[in-house]
Amino acid sequence: PNPTSDQFFVSGLRPGAVLSLSGIDGKMLWTGKATLETQRVQLESYPAGMYLLTVTDPGNGTKETLKIIKKP
């Protein structure tokens, strides 16, 4: 669910999709590669605030950016 406090799941991914988490200032915080159709993203080590998750599908080059809110 969004907002979240420590983790969230992204589903409907194609294995190999690249997930990139950045702060609202654009600073890259984490990058991972999906190995399954559902991927868990941990936010435990980040302070409360707004983050952007960009999902890039290497198969067709599409990108989608999601706004994630971490609550205290």
Side-chain angles (χ1 to χ4, degrees), residues 5-7 11-12 14-15 17 19 21-22 26 35 39 41 45 47 52-54 62 67:
S5 58
D6 59 356
Q7 67 181 355
S11 59
R14 185 187 319 209
L19 293 86
L21 183 71
S22 61
T35 56
Q39 182 72 38
V41 179
S45 60
L52 299 173
L53 179 74
T54 301
T62 59
K67 191 183 305 182

Side-chain angles (χ1 to χ4, degrees), residues 29-45:
L29 302 171
W30 173 84
T31 300
K33 190 175 276 193
T35 56
L36 302 170
E37 291 181 10
T38 299
Q39 182 72 38
R40 180 175 64 167
V41 179
Q42 299 280 84
L43 291 178
E44 296 169 332
S45 60

Side-chain angles (χ1 to χ4, degrees), residues 21-29 50-52:
L21 183 71
S22 61
I24 198 70
D25 60 359
K27 181 180 176 184
M28 187 64 56
L29 302 171
M50 188 170 8
Y51 297 89
L52 299 173

